[in-house]
Amino acid sequence: MTGDSVMQFGNFNIGMVKSQGPVDQRAAHEQMINSVLAIRSHVSESDRTLIDDTLGILDTDGPVDRQRFRQALGTIGGIAALLGATGAPVIESIGKVMEAFGLR
């Protein structure tokens, strides 16, 4: 038997989440970097410097310490959270990266 398995609890449930497969690491990482670059113009000069320093940790092809990588995600996420709706795509992309890299 194949197909969707749906469980519904409570009232007013609308729709079905269809994208629950594994997240591609490379795609998630690239999307996050692009979303971070998009918010640079919305932050102060000091936050821009912090973003640039943190991107040096996040945007690398070599091996990275998992703890340092996670801390860098937290730094970027904190800056994005201060921007409210403007930073929401960054927060979402960080979640995907954390899932893809097993950091949750």
Side-chain angles (χ1 to χ4, degrees):
M1 186 165 128
T2 62
D4 296 323
S5 174
V6 179
M7 296 175 66
Q8 178 180 336
F9 301 96
N11 299 322
F12 310 110
N13 294 299
I14 300 172
M16 183 179 351
V17 177
K18 297 290 267 185
S19 58
Q20 294 184 8
V23 178
D24 178 78
Q25 284 185 342
R26 179 177 226 94
H29 187 259
E30 190 174 303
Q31 178 187 8
M32 182 203 52
I33 297 297
N34 290 334
S35 65
V36 169
L37 292 174
I39 66 166
R40 282 185 82 252
S41 63
H42 298 280
V43 299
S44 67
E45 182 64 37
S46 61
D47 281 348
R48 231 181 337 267
T49 301
L50 187 55
I51 285 173
D52 293 342
D53 293 344
T54 305
L55 280 177
I57 297 167
L58 296 175
D59 194 16
T60 181
D61 290 331
V64 177
D65 177 81
R66 289 175 62 87
Q67 182 63 30
R68 192 166 181 221
F69 190 80
R70 196 172 202 292
Q71 288 172 341
L73 291 174
T75 298
I76 295 290
I79 293 169
L82 294 173
L83 296 174
T86 302
V90 175
I91 303 293
E92 183 180 336
S93 66
I94 287 172
K96 289 179 183 177
V97 166
M98 291 182 73
E99 180 181 341
F101 286 84
L103 297 172
R104 287 191 173 202

